[in-house]
DNA sequence: TCTGGCACTCGTGACCATTGAGTGCCAAGA
DNA sequence: TCTTGGCACTCAATGGTCACGAGTGCCAGA
């Protein structure tokens, strides 16, 4: 086990490196931190830390920089979560309170997160699978054309156009609408397939075709939209990534464009509590030089979706974690109110 | 007026520079193009072109690169629109045909454009102001809570939650829905305010409060959502921008994050025909080193929105214009079918 | 176990010479 | 009047040398 002081040295290295973006040497360390020992001693400690793989030198005779493993130790043992200041909290709340609909909430959240952390923000829309049905609407737009509108308790709305095999009377449609709603309102989307399974049988022979078509589209929508949607922002912050970044930034931008990759990324985060994935801990190759801080958010105790930020491994972990957690909390409140 | 050959020289310079990204000299020009004259002659022509401001030297004793004015002349007089190959056209159509709803159409279009042009793609959602009303739906979610759903002929759907001053009966709601629809269906969104103006008066005293509230929200939605939505993609292509791009890419990414800026950008494009804005022709400062190629698209003759790409001024104009135009055409077809 | 000292490494930046692509200009030829 | 070859000139880029200095590892003594 590493001695108390060596941990302190690691903490100092991480803090300095995050601040200056330059490898930090023994002398500079003793000057900027009150370690109470001489540079030579720090050098010995650094050698030990390097042996254990927590720090590394870019080249011989340069200072040390933390490795992924070093950041991991820092996050797990040495860093707290830095709470936001009261003005910051107030600003968050004011900003989010102005939202008019779910799209707006998500859009504002992304902006907010990006601004607070000065990194790339990713916010997932509330998931269908974890939401409950507030209402299912069927609109007759043309004799054989029906629009299906799904509304969740989190305010999300999905719609699909349905071409029916035969013209549908307004009465049949109202009937179907009523029966459908009586079965599914308030239930979870994941349960819907079972709940409507035997619905066609209870209709007249004439209407069964239409009912089946509508239900088929409904179930299809559930499957398709289970691939969650998300929104990202703050990509301009990537330019603060590092000096060499033509090479660094490219794969990151590419990864960010692939919703699939991002969704997997958020999916890997724990359902409760904050998840920090550092550098190579991220499965996706393009994100090997980035860290991801993610957390679930929801209107109640349970998370309905996740949000987080993507930034360089060299990031201010305590501050970022504080911002992410605070934003998630306020978004949850907003959703609960709507 | 510039002689025929000088224009030819300009064309050659633009083509070479777009290809190589390096200043092009007189000798290289005569080697790669059959101009039929010697380098010395080309040098004279170049001097003339430089006097007129069409080309410039980055430093003395380097080759020439086109100026914004040079590109402008190239686009206006020298370049055609390069049509896509048949396989390319087929690929576009196949890709777009798979879309399930409007969001999907827009998302696919963005991907497609970005891929074809290898630049940043921007696609505007069909505008409310130029669309007509397909249907207005009112859903009672709780006694005093109504959801308003707006559906356009282009498949766009907007929804708003309304808190009514008093509980609303299902009958009153149906009545309002029917009267509202009979007035506005098939009409342009811009005409809606006038069309519903006197609607409250035709209701019983009891219901007027509710009716007014609903109408107020409806009109509000029209105003808010007139700020069009859009989607962008292909930002990873920015990395191919140039060698020096830390400085170049930054303001571009920032501009792309501001929907307002992008909307203004597209708004400046002509309603019909293709618009090319080169470098400093763009009002927004961050986009001074980029060119924008935009075109309107729509289901009929009239454009309901615009789409385009943003790339370096040094871009393949004929190819880009061809791709943009072709994609716009196919998207129009898809919208017309839905 | 800590500390001061010392030799060593190596990236960085300054300085300089060389190279070569590209230019402008001019005088001769078509 | 336009074109062309020749020629001197400019200047970015390349590469080599050198001194500097931040940083290291190791060792002997407290």
């Amino acid at each position: 086990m590493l001695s108390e002081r060596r941990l302190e040295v690691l903490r100092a290295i991480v803090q300095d490196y995050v601040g200056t973006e330059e490898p930090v040497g023994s002398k500079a360390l003793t000057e900027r931190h009150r370690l109470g020992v001489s540079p030579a001693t720090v050098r010995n400690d650094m050698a030990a830390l390097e042996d254990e793989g927590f720090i590394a030198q870019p080249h011989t005779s340069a200072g040390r920089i933390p490795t992924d493993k070093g950041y991991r130790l820092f996050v797990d043992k040495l860093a707290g979560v830095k709470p936001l200041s009261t003005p910051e909290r107030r600003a968050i709340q004011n900003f989010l309170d102005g939202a008019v609909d779910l799209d707006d909430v998500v859009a504002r959240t992304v902006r907010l997160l990006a601004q607070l952390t000065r990194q790339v923000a990713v916010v997932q829309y509330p998931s269908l699978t974890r939401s409950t049905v507030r209402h299912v609407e069927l609109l007759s737009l043309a004799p054989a054309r029906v629009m299906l509108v799904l509304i969740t308790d989190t305010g999300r709305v999905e719609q699909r156009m349905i071409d029916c095999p035969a013209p549908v009377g307004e009465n049949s449609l109202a009937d179907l609408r009523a029966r459908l709603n009586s079965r599914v309102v308030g239930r979870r989307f994941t349960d819907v397939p079972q709940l409507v399974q035997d619905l066609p049988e209870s209709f007249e022979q004439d209407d069964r075709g239409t009912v089946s078509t509508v239900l088929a589209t409904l179930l299809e929508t559930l499957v398709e939209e289970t691939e969650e949607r998300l929104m990202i922002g703050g990509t301009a912050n990537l330019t603060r990534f590092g000096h060499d970044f033509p090479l660094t930034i490219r794969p990151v931008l590419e990864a960010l464009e692939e919703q699939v990759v991002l969704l997997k990324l958020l999916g890997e985060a724990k359902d409760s509590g904050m998840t920090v994935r550092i550098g190579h801990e991220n499965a996706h190759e393009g994100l090997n030089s980035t860290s991801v801080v993610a957390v679930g958010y929801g209107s109640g105790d349970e998370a309905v979706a996740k949000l987080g930020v993507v930034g360089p491994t060299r990031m201010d972990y305590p501050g970022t974690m504080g911002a992410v957690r605070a934003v998630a909390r306020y978004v949850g409140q907003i959703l609960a109110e709507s």
Side-chain angles (χ1 to χ4, degrees), chain A:
Chain A
M1 189 50 203
L2 291 167
S3 78
E4 197 58 37
R5 196 190 58 225
R6 288 193 176 157
L7 290 176
E8 201 53 44
V9 170
L10 177 59
R11 161 186 280 143
I13 292 174
V14 171
Q15 283 175 355
D16 273 24
Y17 183 62
V18 166
T20 65
E21 303 191 23
E22 271 168 17
V24 17
S26 52
K27 197 179 154 201
L29 257 200
T30 53
E31 281 167 3
R32 270 205 286 266
H33 301 264
R34 295 181 194 165
L35 295 171
V37 291
S38 77
T41 308
V42 171
R43 278 206 288 281
N44 288 330
D45 291 345
M46 283 172 139
L49 286 168
E50 185 163 9
D51 279 347
E52 305 272 355
F54 294 115
I55 56 179
Q57 317 187 54
H59 17 258
T60 329
S61 95
R64 307 304 218 288
I65 61 176
T67 60
D68 290 353
K69 192 178 168 192
Y71 285 122
R72 168 54 56 204
L73 183 61
F74 176 80
V75 169
D76 288 347
K77 298 279 164 59
L78 303 173
V81 174
K82 188 174 149 201
L84 299 192
S85 67
T86 318
E88 276 174 323
R89 294 177 171 280
R90 199 163 298 152
I92 293 180
Q93 197 151 25
N94 283 341
F95 190 59
L96 289 182
D97 270 347
V100 298
D101 63 2
L102 182 65
D103 271 328
D104 202 19
V105 171
V106 174
R108 281 168 185 252
T109 306
V110 165
R111 290 184 77 103
L112 198 57
L113 251 189
Q115 234 164 22
L116 282 172
T117 62
R118 307 199 35 158
Q119 275 153 197
V120 180
V122 183
V123 178
Q124 199 176 8
Y125 276 73
S127 141
L128 277 196
T129 54
R130 306 193 194 185
S131 306
T132 57
V133 182
R134 181 181 271 166
H135 188 84
V136 179
E137 183 60 30
L138 297 170
L139 307 176
S140 170
L141 298 180
R145 197 145 216 213
V146 170
M147 174 173 259
L148 169 71
V149 183
L150 271 181
I151 307 170
T152 80
D153 59 337
T154 45
R156 187 164 158 184
V157 179
E158 290 295 333
Q159 74 281 345
R160 279 289 181 292
M161 209 62 82
I162 306 174
D163 284 311
C164 296
V168 195
E170 196 54 65
N171 288 341
S172 319
L173 204 62
D175 187 24
L176 173 55
R177 179 192 301 132
R179 290 207 226 170
L180 196 53
N181 274 296
S182 74
R183 292 207 182 191
V184 300
V185 167
R187 312 300 294 264
R188 298 177 150 271
F189 277 88
T190 39
D191 299 336
V192 168
Q194 289 175 38
L195 293 166
V196 302
Q197 205 175 7
D198 58 344
L199 202 54
E201 295 162 21
S202 65
F203 279 81
E204 301 281 328
Q205 188 66 43
D206 291 353
D207 288 331
R208 282 198 195 159
T210 298
V211 172
S212 301
T213 309
V214 169
L215 289 183
T217 308
L218 172 59
L219 300 184
E220 202 177 281
T221 306
L222 291 181
V223 173
E224 273 166 12
E225 297 296 331
T226 296
E227 291 178 20
E228 323 286 357
R229 295 176 55 200
L230 44 76
M231 189 174 270
I232 78 169
T235 45
N237 291 323
L238 285 178
T239 52
R240 303 183 306 106
F241 226 73
H243 335 278
D244 54 340
F245 65 92
L247 295 172
T248 324
I249 209 177
R250 181 70 184 271
V252 179
L253 267 176
E254 276 170 1
L256 291 177
E257 292 228 330
E258 290 299 329
Q259 304 236 335
V260 188
V261 172
L262 284 178
L263 287 169
K264 205 184 286 175
L265 204 67
L266 290 179
E268 283 166 0
K270 290 185 304 247
D271 258 17
S272 63
M274 195 146 13
T275 302
V276 181
R277 302 208 134 222
I278 299 168
H280 291 81
E281 295 170 9
N282 290 304
H284 188 80
E285 200 173 344
L287 298 174
N288 276 179
S289 59
T290 66
S291 287
V292 178
V293 177
V295 69
Y297 71 89
S299 45
D301 293 334
E302 206 183 358
V304 295
K306 293 168 188 165
L307 57 77
V309 305
V310 178
T313 49
R314 166 191 44 67
M315 69 161 70
D316 168 21
Y317 289 95
T320 304
M321 290 164 79
V324 169
R325 183 208 270 170
V327 169
R329 206 166 277 168
Y330 285 111
V331 175
Q333 283 179 21
I334 297 284
L335 286 185
E337 288 165 15
S338 70

